[in-house]
Amino acid sequence: MLRLLMPLAYRLRRRTMSLLGLRTRGVKLLVTDRAGRVLLVRHRYGRTELHMLPGGGIARGEAPVEAAARELREETGCIARELALLARHESRTEGRRDTVFLFAARSDEVPVPDGRELEEAAFHPLDDLPDTLSPATRRRIDEWQGHRERSPDW
């Protein structure tokens, strides 16, 4: 039942936040494994066809680094090692004001999608990324690899 309600709750929450003009804070993680592959996820809500970096919201009173480790563990079962802040970005999509903290991490666990929020979680070789990569994820990977200048915008 929860899996069926998740997309509706997601849309309702985004709409409410947009209407109220609330500011949110979140984290994204650029996680690599020993082979240099990058972890990508597909959600069960929102743009379900897109592969993105894992991440989520920062709880009240939680430090961004703690949120990054927690979100990765909750959504994929992976443990974030060598967790380091890469950048801070601002986003104004859908009328909301978001601050996104981007972290780099290493993990050698096999990701297992939580089944609630995530449909898919897997490591992908950097030279063979899915065609369904979100534009923001493509920008972050390109910046991380030094193929483009870092933008302050998400």
Side-chain angles (χ1 to χ4, degrees), residues 12-25 90-99:
L12 181 60
R13 180 177 184 269
R14 288 188 72 94
R15 182 72 175 143
T16 300
M17 294 184 89
S18 176
L19 289 172
L20 296 176
L22 297 177
R23 182 172 196 80
T24 60
R25 297 182 331 137
E90 298 297 323
S91 175
R92 294 195 180 274
T93 60
E94 300 178 17
R96 297 181 326 160
R97 297 175 303 149
D98 297 317
T99 300

Side-chain angles (χ1 to χ4, degrees), residues 86-89 102 139-140 143 148-153:
L86 287 179
R88 176 183 164 161
H89 297 273
L102 177 64
R139 288 191 300 273
R140 301 299 78 88
E143 290 168 357
R148 71 183 296 157
E149 294 259 333
R150 186 180 77 77
S151 169
D153 300 320

Side-chain angles (χ1 to χ4, degrees), residues 31-96:
V31 181
T32 56
D33 66 4
R34 227 175 262 159
R37 300 175 302 170
V38 65
L39 179 60
L40 299 174
V41 301
R42 273 192 326 101
H43 289 89
R44 300 183 70 81
Y45 54 85
R47 301 287 308 272
T48 60
E49 76 281 7
L50 294 179
H51 283 84
M52 302 178 187
L53 298 172
I58 300 173
R60 184 169 279 128
E62 185 177 37
V65 68
E66 293 168 352
R70 176 185 52 77
E71 284 289 342
L72 183 65
R73 187 179 60 255
E74 286 176 359
E75 292 184 354
T76 69
C78 293
I79 304 299
R81 292 179 177 76
E82 303 171 34
L83 194 57
L85 180 65
L86 287 179
R88 176 183 164 161
H89 297 273
E90 298 297 323
S91 175
R92 294 195 180 274
T93 60
E94 300 178 17
R96 297 181 326 160

